[in-house]
Amino acid sequence: MSDLTATADLDSRLEGYRVELTGYCYRMLGSAFEAEDAVQDTLVRAWRNFEKFEGRSSLRSWLYRIATNVCLDMLNAGNKRARPVDLSGPTPLAQAALNPLPENTWLEPMPDGRILPSVEDPAEAAVARESVRLAFVAALQHLPPKQRAVLILREVLAWKASEVAELLDTSVASVNSALQRARATLTEHGDKAADSANPLDEEQRKLLDRYVAAFEGYDMAALTALLHEDAVMTMPPFDLWLRGHDDITGFMETIGAGCAGSRLVPTQANGTPAFAHYKPDPDGPGFVPWAVQVIDISEGSITGLHCFLDTPRWFPLFGLPDHLDATAA
């Protein structure tokens, strides 16, 4: 085999792990862009040091060891991502004000295609989707970095305790202890799980169709009927968050009134339904990016509406157009 062929073969082998490694790093870091940077660093390190890889473990295990070390180094800098609901209580509508916080404060959304590899086992696919939900990734942020790695490797990726111990250069007893503590912390901080939404069942599809019709028609009565009475609306980078359909629709009729006449384009993020939200273009016909909406559904109603407003970052990541024609449905 020529050097060029060998290089191309190695590149292809390493690239084959990109999606699952990005999912791992995203769970560890809570940031879409930091996760992609971490994976790129991992693959570059692997390529440069491949001659030192002696095959005592699988290539996959070796890559996870490198990725874990990269993430631990990044987390040692104090990175800890959060949702608005993790930082304060809900704001009554009468006191609503839009106060932005720095980008590195926030847990970030991630397109499914970048973090969920294709798997044939439906149960395995369901675990993967649940483990990238915003609420779950937010709960992971409460764990110390090594506990975070242990829990993801053991509970999400189904590694054996001995495999995790080898990766982290520690003992099986230490891994089991870390897992027990991590589970207790997650129980304390975890939210009620949203319904499984991939693939969508008929009732979920109908609910989302009604949501799109209500939002695009700016029909607050119809929207109220779809939102759980304790539904939550968040809008990073603003620290404001609202609870309850009355405050949410009240906000949309006042501070958010400029969203009337918007269009929603379906996408998927964090294992859940999502929409690209386009507002009417103030400078002419058509629509311009406003937010990526990540939707939580539970027991036949919408329980979470998470609107990520930094569209210059999110729309390219999701492969979304930067303008919709006036005729867009």
Side-chain angles (χ1 to χ4, degrees), residues 141-163:
Q141 304 299 299
H142 293 281
L143 301 176
K146 285 195 175 180
Q147 280 187 30
R148 204 178 302 180
V150 167
L151 186 130
I152 297 167
L153 291 166
R154 292 282 286 117
E155 301 278 84
V156 177
L157 301 177
W159 285 39
K160 297 176 182 177
S162 57
E163 294 172 328

Side-chain angles (χ1 to χ4, degrees), residues 93-316:
L93 178 59
Q95 300 173 20
L98 299 177
N99 302 309
L101 293 180
E103 170 274 320
N104 62 3
T105 304
W106 303 116
L107 184 69
E108 298 177 344
M110 192 63 150
D112 283 4
R114 290 180 178 261
I115 51 174
L116 294 177
S118 299
V119 295
E120 295 183 1
D121 183 353
E124 186 180 342
V127 169
R129 289 194 302 271
E130 292 298 326
S131 70
V132 294
R133 296 288 175 94
L134 289 172
F136 183 81
V137 179
L140 288 173
Q141 304 299 299
H142 293 281
L143 301 176
K146 285 195 175 180
Q147 280 187 30
R148 204 178 302 180
V150 167
L151 186 130
I152 297 167
L153 291 166
R154 292 282 286 117
E155 301 278 84
V156 177
L157 301 177
W159 285 39
K160 297 176 182 177
S162 57
E163 294 172 328
V164 178
E166 182 178 355
L167 183 145
L168 294 175
D169 292 323
T170 188
S171 66
V172 170
S174 177
V175 166
N176 290 335
S177 176
L179 179 59
Q180 186 175 9
R181 295 195 303 274
R183 284 172 173 166
T185 302
L186 241 60
T187 299
E188 179 183 348
H189 292 284
D191 289 355
K192 181 182 181 297
D195 289 350
S196 175
N198 187 3
L200 294 169
D201 64 31
E202 186 65 24
E203 290 304 312
Q204 290 167 337
R205 283 195 293 270
K206 289 179 179 178
L207 175 65
L208 290 172
D209 287 344
R210 293 197 298 271
Y211 170 73
V212 171
F215 194 96
E216 292 188 344
Y218 233 58
D219 183 340
M220 293 302 112
L223 191 58
T224 297
L226 304 176
L227 295 173
H228 190 276
E229 62 181 0
D230 290 326
V232 166
M233 181 178 182
T234 66
M235 292 164 282
F238 301 116
D239 59 0
L240 166 75
W241 66 280
L242 304 164
R243 170 175 281 154
H245 49 55
D246 290 341
D247 275 3
I248 292 172
T249 55
F251 178 89
M252 292 175 67
E253 290 179 307
T254 54
I255 298 174
C259 291
S262 291
R263 294 291 182 269
L264 299 181
V265 175
T267 184
Q268 287 188 325
N270 294 84
T272 66
F275 295 98
H277 173 188
Y278 291 84
K279 282 176 60 173
D281 189 340
D283 299 321
F287 304 87
V288 292
W290 183 247
V292 170
Q293 298 182 1
V294 182
I295 309 294
D296 291 331
I297 298 173
S298 184
E299 298 176 358
S301 62
I302 292 172
T303 56
L305 179 56
H306 308 288
C307 306
F308 295 88
L309 304 181
D310 191 356
T311 55
R313 301 177 79 226
W314 304 127
F315 275 51

